[in-house]
Amino acid sequence: MSAKIDPSAVPSGTGCVECDAAGGWWVHLRRCAACDIIGCCDDSLMRHATAHWKATGHPIIQSFEPGEDWFWDYDADDYYDGPELAPPDCRPVDETAPGPKGRVPGDWYETLQQRSD
């Protein structure tokens, strides 16, 4: 198997590791296919999944959202045909998006619209 993917690695948790550590929130979650760190997507305020790729060179992610099984290759800037990864394959289905419950501000959409790129 490619060093880009470890299908036996277990996800780091059920939410973005860095957002959880900082008490933050996210829009959607992504799973690093090499080390299984869960990060937030580019629609999120902090974009931790992309930051993880830039810091580690791990280019392949998989959606960590219920009902989604697609992979993305940052290096190729395209979808990727990846293998089945170790469970769980998504955040808890009763968790909100954006999430997590209780940490998403009421003005979350406006906050995202005002961020600088």
Side-chain angles (χ1 to χ4, degrees), residues 8-89:
S8 66
V10 177
S12 60
T14 59
C16 175
V17 173
E18 293 183 69
C19 287
D20 278 342
W25 55 279
W26 53 79
V27 177
H28 297 291
L29 297 171
R30 306 296 180 236
R31 174 183 184 175
C32 174
C35 69
D36 284 317
I37 290 291
I38 304 299
C40 55
C41 72
D42 284 352
D43 289 333
S44 300
L45 197 57
M46 301 308 295
R47 303 172 180 163
H48 286 126
T50 295
H52 177 75
W53 160 58
K54 290 177 179 177
T56 64
H58 298 164
I60 309 295
I61 59 168
Q62 184 180 37
S63 175
F64 202 60
E65 292 296 315
E68 297 181 0
D69 62 0
W70 55 265
F71 286 79
W72 184 259
D73 182 339
Y74 284 111
D75 288 341
D77 195 28
D78 201 0
Y79 288 98
Y80 184 85
D81 187 22
E84 186 171 329
L85 301 179
D89 60 1

Side-chain angles (χ1 to χ4, degrees), residues 25 45 105-115:
W25 55 279
L45 197 57
D107 65 346
W108 69 269
Y109 186 78
E110 291 80 13
T111 299
L112 293 176
Q113 296 302 311
Q114 294 173 7
R115 73 177 177 195

